[in-house]
Amino acid sequence: MGWTKKAIDNLLLAFGKVSIMLVRMYMHLVYRPKAHFVDRSVQTNRLKTPCIVIANHTTIVDPPFILSVLRGKTAIVIAKDWFEKPGINWICRAANGVPCDRFNLDTEWALLAKKELKKGRSVVIFPEGKCREDGELNEFKSGFAFLARSTGVPVVCVGLDGVYSFGHRIHYVVDVPRRIERTKGVASSADLENHAAQLRERVKLLKAGALRHSVAGLPAPGTVYAVVPPVPEQSATGTEGAR
C-alpha cells in the first residue's frame, strides 16, 4: 500500500501548489498590495539571489501575504505544531515549509533552512514567533541572525502594515539587504541577540512607514539604534516561530 500513500501525498502536494496560486490571486485582488522601497537599489520584489526575509507578525494572514508579494523561489519557517496539523500539512509542504519547534530548544530547523538556501530559495522568517495584534512588536528570537551569520546570506527586513480589512490596501516597506557578521570581542550568543534587537527596531520603523504609506524620514539602513525593550503583551495568539 506504499504506492497508494505516495500517490495521495503527491496529489495533496499538487493541490497545495494550486491552492497557493489561488491564495496569491486572492491577496492581490482583495488587498491590492503596495510596496515602498527604502532605496533605489531595491525597486523590485524579485528575490534574485537567496536571502533571509524577516517581517513583523500581526495576524495569521501575514505568511500567505508575504509569500504572495515576493517573487522568486521561497521557503518559510512554520511552527512545528501547525506543520503537523493533518488539515494544513499539505499546504505547508507545498509552500516549502520548514518546521520549527517553538516550545523546545530546536536547531534542526536551521539545518533544514540551510538546505533550502542551498537550493536557491530565500527563507521567510517571522522572528517574533507568534502574532501580536496590539500594534507592538514582540522580542525577536535570534535564530534568523544565527542562520544569516553562519551562511553569509543577507537579511532583508520587511515592514507590514498588518491591517487586513476588506477595502484596505495593504502597504509594506522593503529594506536593503544586509549581512550579519560576528562582532569581535562579543560573546556569540550576546552578539546574535544584539543583532536581533537592532533589526527588531528596524522592522518596527519599517512597519510605521508602511502604516503612513511613506519611507520619508526613515533612518539610513546602517543606523545603530538605542534598543527599546518590547512592551509586555496583554494578549496574543501564536503561529509561526523561529528560535
Side-chain angles (χ1 to χ4, degrees):
M1 298 297 290
W3 66 270
T4 303
K5 184 179 184 300
K6 185 175 181 180
I8 293 175
D9 285 343
N10 289 336
L11 181 62
L12 287 174
L13 187 61
F15 184 65
K17 297 288 186 183
V18 173
S19 298
I20 289 173
M21 291 177 60
L22 294 175
V23 168
R24 283 177 174 166
M25 292 175 59
Y26 175 85
M27 292 291 172
H28 283 274
L29 288 173
V30 174
Y31 297 122
R32 301 167 294 133
K34 172 63 176 177
H36 302 268
F37 300 97
V38 170
D39 189 81
R40 292 181 179 178
S41 63
V42 285
Q43 294 293 317
T44 177
N45 289 342
R46 180 165 292 281
L47 304 172
K48 297 179 181 179
T49 57
C51 62
I52 297 167
V53 180
I54 63 171
N56 55 293
H57 200 5
T58 305
T59 79
I60 59 173
V61 184
D62 293 327
F65 177 81
I66 201 167
L67 290 178
S68 297
V69 297
L70 295 178
R71 293 290 176 264
K73 296 188 292 185
T74 56
I76 184 169
V77 176
I78 302 174
K80 188 176 182 180
D81 46 308
W82 277 71
F83 198 98
E84 294 176 344
K85 292 180 183 293
I88 62 172
N89 173 266
W90 51 275
I91 199 165
C92 290
R93 291 191 296 118
N96 302 313
V98 174
C100 174
D101 188 344
R102 54 183 172 160
F103 300 115
N104 298 290
L105 182 62
D106 180 17
T107 57
E108 185 178 359
W109 77 269
L111 297 176
L112 295 174
K114 286 181 181 180
K115 290 181 180 179
E116 295 297 331
L117 291 169
K118 289 181 179 179
K119 292 177 183 177
R121 296 189 178 113
S122 293
V123 177
V124 177
I125 301 176
F126 292 92
E128 292 174 84
K130 55 185 176 181
C131 299
R132 180 153 183 178
E133 301 179 359
D134 62 2
E136 297 290 337
L137 271 67
N138 286 311
E139 178 185 7
F140 273 21
K141 301 180 189 298
S142 61
F144 78 92
F146 167 78
L147 181 63
R149 197 180 70 179
S150 62
T151 61
V153 172
V155 175
V156 175
C157 297
V158 177
L160 307 173
D161 76 15
V163 184
Y164 299 100
S165 58
F166 188 78
H168 171 75
R169 186 175 193 181
I170 295 291
H171 291 253
Y172 61 102
V173 178
V174 181
D175 206 355
V176 299
R178 67 176 74 195
R179 297 186 186 277
I180 292 180
E181 298 179 350
R182 176 74 179 268
T183 304
K184 293 182 179 180
V186 179
S188 179
S189 59
D191 186 41
L192 291 174
E193 290 175 2
N194 180 61
H195 281 299
Q198 285 292 315
L199 292 189
R200 175 185 174 275
E201 296 300 316
R202 185 65 178 178
V203 171
K204 186 176 180 179
L205 288 174
L206 297 180
K207 177 185 177 181
L211 286 168
R212 67 173 182 269
H213 308 167
S214 173
V215 295
L218 191 69
T223 301
V224 177
Y225 301 101
V227 176
V228 179
V231 176
E233 58 182 320
Q234 299 301 315
S235 62
T237 56
T239 53
E240 292 71 15
R243 296 185 179 276

